Amino acid sequence: MKLAILSRNTKLYSTRRLVEAARQRGHTVRVLDPLRCYMRISSDGFAMRYKGKPIEAYDAVIPRFAASVTRYGNAVLHQFEQMGSYAPNPSAAFARARDKLRCHQLLAAEGIGLPVTVFGDNPDDTDDLLAMLGPPPHVIKLNEGMQGAGVMLTEKPSASRGVVEALRGLYANFLVQEFIAEAQGADLRCFVVGDRVLGAMQRQAPAGDFRSNLHRGGIATAVEATADECAVAVRAAKVVGLGIAGVDLIRSARGPLVLEVNASPGLEGIEAATGLDIAGGIVEHLAAHVRPVARPRRRRPVSNGN
Ligand code: ADP
């Protein structure tokens, strides 16, 4: 298999591990900076070049780019798809996953549990909007926040109103959720590949914080997710359209609730906590799913008689 990894940094742990796992299994792999890929779009075919040379016939492609390059990166990913590459995380799903609001709507529509969530636009509606949610504590999140940045806990109605007004003033998109107190600062990251949870870890927030993100000082330990939690995680990834996903669950009194479905989940935390070869699992999944030959998709020439 010939594999492309769309990443801006070859030194990142996840990128390195995917390269290593692919080479160990005898595959050809190349890391491409999505911002150096340039494309020709025409009804007679799709072409891509990279630093002056053509890019063609990659069997599979994995997006590993940051939120800041989502738009361009997704266009590159879509071009690979048009050229016949297998994308376990296709561009449409990748874009969806990076929009929390949309994901929540899709998950709720499929009956998947999540913290009750409200959002609105007009400042005149703030009081009524918060009333739809119920009394604080509330969790207020930036719609495009990552790694716990832009996730706030408010304990009084005046604090909720103040934060909402401040975010509006900054033209930020956000959502407000019920606070799941019984989770006690812990969440569960389930690493989904295909129809399976390859590994799971519990992340515990540091003292004084409710956010368990590892980037915020959370501590990770390997855990066995229950059958119910695995089923919810796999279903959530499927609803968003992702073959590879980090699904964050919170354990609530009413069962597992989905906090987030991450389309480019980091490998370092989960491999360190579980000791599992998650990168290898991803590569094996790709190898089992690539189409036999990936060729640029071209329109058949129309013959004159037709
Ligand atoms: P990000 O995408 O920035 O990681 P999350 O929605 O995953 O944002 O929230 C970050 C962390 O905050 C979670 O891992 C969890 O520990 C905590 N958290 C988020 N939402 C809630 C909630 N509704 N109730 C309790 N804790 C929450």
Side-chain angles (χ1 to χ4, degrees), residues 100 115 139 141 145-149 151 177-181 183 185-187 203 205 210-213 248 250 259-260:
K100 276 190 190 180
V139 177
K141 303 180 181 183
M146 269 184 118
Q147 294 160 350
V151 179
Q177 286 186 333
E178 62 173 320
F179 175 56
I180 308 298
D187 76 357
R203 297 178 301 191
F210 71 101
R211 298 165 304 171
S212 54
N213 305 72
D248 294 342
I250 197 161
L259 283 184
E260 193 180 14

Side-chain angles (χ1 to χ4, degrees), residues 40-278:
R40 182 176 191 273
I41 306 167
S42 154
S43 52
D44 63 7
F46 293 85
M48 187 160 12
R49 294 177 71 79
Y50 189 79
K51 299 184 182 175
K53 299 222 167 68
I55 287 279
E56 51 196 24
Y58 276 89
D59 299 301
V61 57
I62 306 184
R64 295 284 331 173
F65 39 81
S68 54
V69 293
T70 296
R71 219 178 145 75
Y72 192 88
N74 251 339
V76 174
L77 178 58
H78 194 211
Q79 188 89 356
F80 270 101
E81 290 164 43
Q82 296 303 322
M83 291 165 62
S85 303
Y86 168 62
N89 287 357
S91 54
F94 202 81
R96 221 175 277 141
R98 293 234 155 135
D99 182 344
K100 276 190 190 180
L101 219 50
R102 197 174 178 83
C103 275
H104 282 40
Q105 290 171 324
L106 292 167
L107 295 169
E110 292 299 318
I112 294 173
L114 67 165
V116 177
T117 302
V118 298
F119 65 98
D121 182 66
N122 194 301
D124 291 345
D125 303 324
T126 302
D127 284 339
D128 198 37
L129 175 76
L130 294 174
M132 284 168 85
L133 187 58
H138 296 144
V139 177
I140 305 181
K141 303 180 181 183
L142 291 177
N143 199 10
E144 272 127 34
M146 269 184 118
Q147 294 160 350
V151 179
M152 293 153 274
L153 178 64
T154 53
E155 314 226 19
K156 292 198 173 130
S158 58
S160 298
R161 264 199 314 275
V163 172
V164 166
E165 280 159 13
L167 292 178
R168 284 225 169 90
L170 297 168
Y171 300 101
N173 290 318
F174 60 90
L175 46 86
V176 190
Q177 286 186 333
E178 62 173 320
F179 175 56
I180 308 298
E182 63 268 29
Q184 298 184 327
D187 76 357
L188 189 70
R189 158 64 58 97
C190 295
F191 206 105
V192 176
V193 178
D195 291 333
R196 285 198 319 129
V197 170
L198 285 196
M201 62 175 166
Q202 178 165 315
R203 297 178 301 191
Q204 181 66 52
D209 204 332
F210 71 101
R211 298 165 304 171
S212 54
N213 305 72
L214 302 184
H215 287 86
R216 308 243 85 77
I219 305 282
T221 43
V223 285
E224 195 75 40
T226 65
D228 192 25
E229 288 163 346
C230 288
V232 169
V234 168
R235 222 152 66 77
K238 206 155 261 169
V239 167
V240 179
L242 297 169
I244 300 167
V247 180
D248 294 342
L249 301 176
I250 197 161
R251 286 173 164 155
S252 83
R254 58 182 194 270
L257 306 179
V258 175
L259 283 184
E260 193 180 14
V261 180
N262 194 316
S264 184
L267 296 179
E268 190 165 15
I270 190 93
E271 289 197 335
T274 62
L276 294 169
D277 179 6
I278 303 283

